[in-house]
Amino acid sequence: MSAASPNLWLIAAGAFSLLASLLHLACILGGPAWYGYFGAGDKMVRMATQGSWIPAAITFAIAAVLAVWAAYAFSGAGLLPRLPMPRTVLVLISALLLLRAALFFVRETWRPDLSFGFMLWSSLIVLVLGLCFTVGT
């Protein structure tokens, strides 16, 4: 894609992924209250309250994945150097996000510790993110 016509869909996908990554890191710093506010579930909040390293490790791993996705989106948009297998990785990211969004409609995939509101909002967020990756790719 030329510099004159930037891929705004991939730029948006990268920006949203980077924001989500930073919010996950903020949850680690914010502690149990932040985990609870963002709907991590009672078990994660309880473990964080007890000082367990597990919530931070899981949240950091999610943040890292989202940061890599942001890098691929920005690379695909031409803002970063070309990363390995860009089209394949962008298609896989798109598919994963759209699949996760579709799981909202499969009640059996819901975790009992997560509220309807969390499932709805998180599904809508990943749907928008998945559409940005898909259209941009």
Side-chain angles (χ1 to χ4, degrees):
M1 182 138 285
S2 70
S5 59
N7 188 326
L8 297 179
W9 289 103
L10 284 179
I11 293 171
F16 291 144
S17 295
L18 185 58
L19 175 63
S21 177
L22 293 173
L23 281 173
H24 279 80
L25 293 175
C27 283
I28 295 170
L29 297 175
W34 280 55
Y35 283 111
Y37 179 78
F38 284 103
D42 294 337
K43 186 176 179 182
M44 286 282 279
V45 173
R46 190 170 43 258
M47 286 190 299
T49 301
Q50 295 168 347
S52 172
W53 59 270
I54 293 172
I58 291 170
T59 306
F60 183 80
I62 294 168
V65 168
L66 288 164
V68 169
W69 290 2
Y72 265 92
F74 290 141
S75 175
L79 300 180
L80 291 178
R82 188 175 193 276
L83 295 173
M85 303 182 338
R87 175 155 314 278
T88 301
V89 172
L90 289 170
V91 167
L92 287 173
I93 293 168
S94 300
L96 285 170
L97 288 166
L98 294 176
L99 175 63
R100 166 54 185 86
L103 289 177
F104 173 76
F105 297 102
V106 182
R107 182 80 170 148
E108 292 78 28
T109 64
W110 291 21
R111 291 182 17 213
D113 60 325
L114 299 177
S115 69
F116 174 82
F118 175 82
M119 289 300 298
L120 176 65
W121 283 108
S122 64
S123 295
L124 289 173
I125 289 167
V126 296
L127 174 63
V128 169
L129 186 56
L131 291 173
C132 288
F133 271 100
T134 300
V135 174
T137 301

